[in-house]
Short mmCIF file of all heavy atoms in Angstrom, two decimals:
data_model
loop_
_atom_site.label_atom_id
_atom_site.label_comp_id
_atom_site.label_asym_id
_atom_site.label_seq_id
_atom_site.Cartn_x
_atom_site.Cartn_y
_atom_site.Cartn_z
N GLU A 299 11.04 41.74 -1.54
CA GLU A 299 9.89 41.33 -0.49
C GLU A 299 10.07 39.82 -0.16
O GLU A 299 9.94 39.54 1.03
CB GLU A 299 8.47 41.64 -1.13
CG GLU A 299 7.38 41.59 -0.06
CD GLU A 299 7.62 42.71 0.92
OE1 GLU A 299 7.82 43.87 0.53
OE2 GLU A 299 7.40 42.30 2.20
N ASN A 300 10.41 39.02 -1.04
CA ASN A 300 10.66 37.69 -0.88
C ASN A 300 12.00 37.22 -0.32
O ASN A 300 12.32 36.09 -0.23
CB ASN A 300 10.34 36.76 -2.16
CG ASN A 300 11.25 37.21 -3.17
OD1 ASN A 300 12.00 38.17 -3.15
ND2 ASN A 300 11.36 36.26 -4.23
N ARG A 301 12.79 38.15 -0.06
CA ARG A 301 14.21 37.89 0.59
C ARG A 301 14.38 38.67 1.91
O ARG A 301 15.50 39.18 1.97
CB ARG A 301 15.27 38.16 -0.50
CG ARG A 301 15.27 37.45 -1.69
CD ARG A 301 15.97 36.04 -1.40
NE ARG A 301 16.06 35.09 -2.44
CZ ARG A 301 15.27 34.17 -2.59
NH1 ARG A 301 14.39 33.80 -1.74
NH2 ARG A 301 15.36 33.29 -3.62
N GLN A 302 13.36 38.98 2.60
CA GLN A 302 13.60 39.83 3.72
C GLN A 302 14.48 39.18 4.82
O GLN A 302 14.23 37.98 5.06
CB GLN A 302 12.25 40.04 4.47
CG GLN A 302 11.41 41.15 3.70
CD GLN A 302 12.08 42.46 3.63
OE1 GLN A 302 12.29 43.16 4.63
NE2 GLN A 302 12.49 42.85 2.55
N PRO A 303 15.46 39.89 5.45
CA PRO A 303 16.32 39.24 6.25
C PRO A 303 15.91 39.12 7.74
O PRO A 303 14.95 39.89 8.05
CB PRO A 303 17.69 40.34 6.18
CG PRO A 303 16.91 41.64 5.84
CD PRO A 303 15.89 41.21 4.98
N ILE A 304 16.51 38.22 8.49
CA ILE A 304 16.19 38.06 9.79
C ILE A 304 17.26 38.82 10.61
O ILE A 304 18.48 38.49 10.40
CB ILE A 304 16.15 36.59 10.16
CG1 ILE A 304 14.93 36.02 9.36
CG2 ILE A 304 15.91 36.46 11.68
CD1 ILE A 304 15.16 34.37 9.34
N PHE A 305 16.94 39.63 11.59
CA PHE A 305 18.04 40.39 12.39
C PHE A 305 18.20 39.61 13.64
O PHE A 305 17.30 39.09 14.47
CB PHE A 305 17.58 41.79 12.80
CG PHE A 305 17.50 42.62 11.45
CD1 PHE A 305 16.23 42.59 10.77
CD2 PHE A 305 18.41 43.50 11.12
CE1 PHE A 305 16.21 43.51 9.63
CE2 PHE A 305 18.38 44.32 9.98
CZ PHE A 305 17.27 44.40 9.30
N PHE A 306 19.49 39.43 13.94
CA PHE A 306 19.78 38.61 15.22
C PHE A 306 21.18 39.27 15.82
O PHE A 306 21.97 39.83 15.15
CB PHE A 306 19.85 37.05 15.02
CG PHE A 306 21.13 36.70 14.53
CD1 PHE A 306 22.26 36.47 15.26
CD2 PHE A 306 21.28 36.63 13.02
CE1 PHE A 306 23.43 35.97 14.72
CE2 PHE A 306 22.47 36.26 12.41
CZ PHE A 306 23.53 35.92 13.28
N SER A 307 21.32 39.07 17.15
CA SER A 307 22.60 39.33 17.81
C SER A 307 23.08 38.15 18.67
O SER A 307 22.17 37.58 19.57
CB SER A 307 22.42 40.44 18.74
OG SER A 307 23.51 40.62 19.55
N ALA A 308 24.07 37.45 18.40
CA ALA A 308 24.58 36.34 19.12
C ALA A 308 25.06 36.76 20.57
O ALA A 308 25.02 35.98 21.51
CB ALA A 308 25.72 35.77 18.37
N VAL A 309 25.37 38.09 20.67
CA VAL A 309 25.82 38.61 21.90
C VAL A 309 24.72 38.74 22.90
O VAL A 309 24.66 38.39 24.00
CB VAL A 309 26.55 39.92 21.70
CG1 VAL A 309 26.99 40.49 23.04
CG2 VAL A 309 27.81 39.64 20.80
N THR A 310 23.56 39.38 22.44
CA THR A 310 22.55 39.67 23.40
C THR A 310 21.39 38.74 23.20
O THR A 310 20.42 38.77 24.04
CB THR A 310 21.80 41.10 23.01
OG1 THR A 310 21.24 41.00 21.75
CG2 THR A 310 22.91 42.18 23.01
N GLN A 311 21.40 37.74 22.19
CA GLN A 311 20.48 36.64 22.00
C GLN A 311 19.22 37.27 21.16
O GLN A 311 18.18 36.48 21.07
CB GLN A 311 20.07 35.98 23.16
CG GLN A 311 21.15 35.06 23.95
CD GLN A 311 21.60 33.85 23.14
OE1 GLN A 311 20.68 32.94 22.91
NE2 GLN A 311 22.76 33.66 22.67
N GLU A 312 19.23 38.47 20.93
CA GLU A 312 18.07 39.06 20.16
C GLU A 312 17.95 38.32 18.92
O GLU A 312 18.92 38.13 18.05
CB GLU A 312 18.35 40.64 19.92
CG GLU A 312 17.34 41.26 19.06
CD GLU A 312 17.86 42.54 18.43
OE1 GLU A 312 18.85 43.07 18.91
OE2 GLU A 312 17.31 42.84 17.30
N GLY A 313 16.70 37.86 18.68
CA GLY A 313 16.30 37.26 17.35
C GLY A 313 16.80 35.85 17.10
O GLY A 313 16.57 35.30 16.16
N ILE A 314 17.54 35.41 18.12
CA ILE A 314 18.03 33.91 17.96
C ILE A 314 17.03 32.89 17.89
O ILE A 314 17.03 32.07 17.02
CB ILE A 314 19.06 33.61 19.15
CG1 ILE A 314 20.39 34.36 19.09
CG2 ILE A 314 19.35 32.08 19.20
CD1 ILE A 314 21.20 34.11 18.01
N MET A 315 15.93 33.02 18.73
CA MET A 315 14.83 32.03 18.58
C MET A 315 14.03 32.19 17.31
O MET A 315 13.60 31.12 16.88
CB MET A 315 13.83 32.29 19.83
CG MET A 315 13.12 30.90 20.27
SD MET A 315 14.11 29.52 20.64
CE MET A 315 13.45 28.30 19.67
N GLU A 316 13.87 33.45 16.86
CA GLU A 316 13.11 33.64 15.69
C GLU A 316 13.90 32.99 14.54
O GLU A 316 13.39 32.30 13.53
CB GLU A 316 12.99 35.15 15.34
CG GLU A 316 12.04 35.74 16.24
CD GLU A 316 12.56 36.26 17.63
OE1 GLU A 316 13.59 35.79 18.02
OE2 GLU A 316 11.94 37.08 18.18
#
Side-chain angles (χ1 to χ4, degrees):
E299 199 60 45
N300 63 340
R301 291 276 181 262
Q302 283 298 293
I304 300 163
F305 292 85
F306 77 90
S307 167
V309 177
T310 65
Q311 294 286 303
E312 172 200 341
I314 290 289
M315 203 63 227
E316 290 85 342

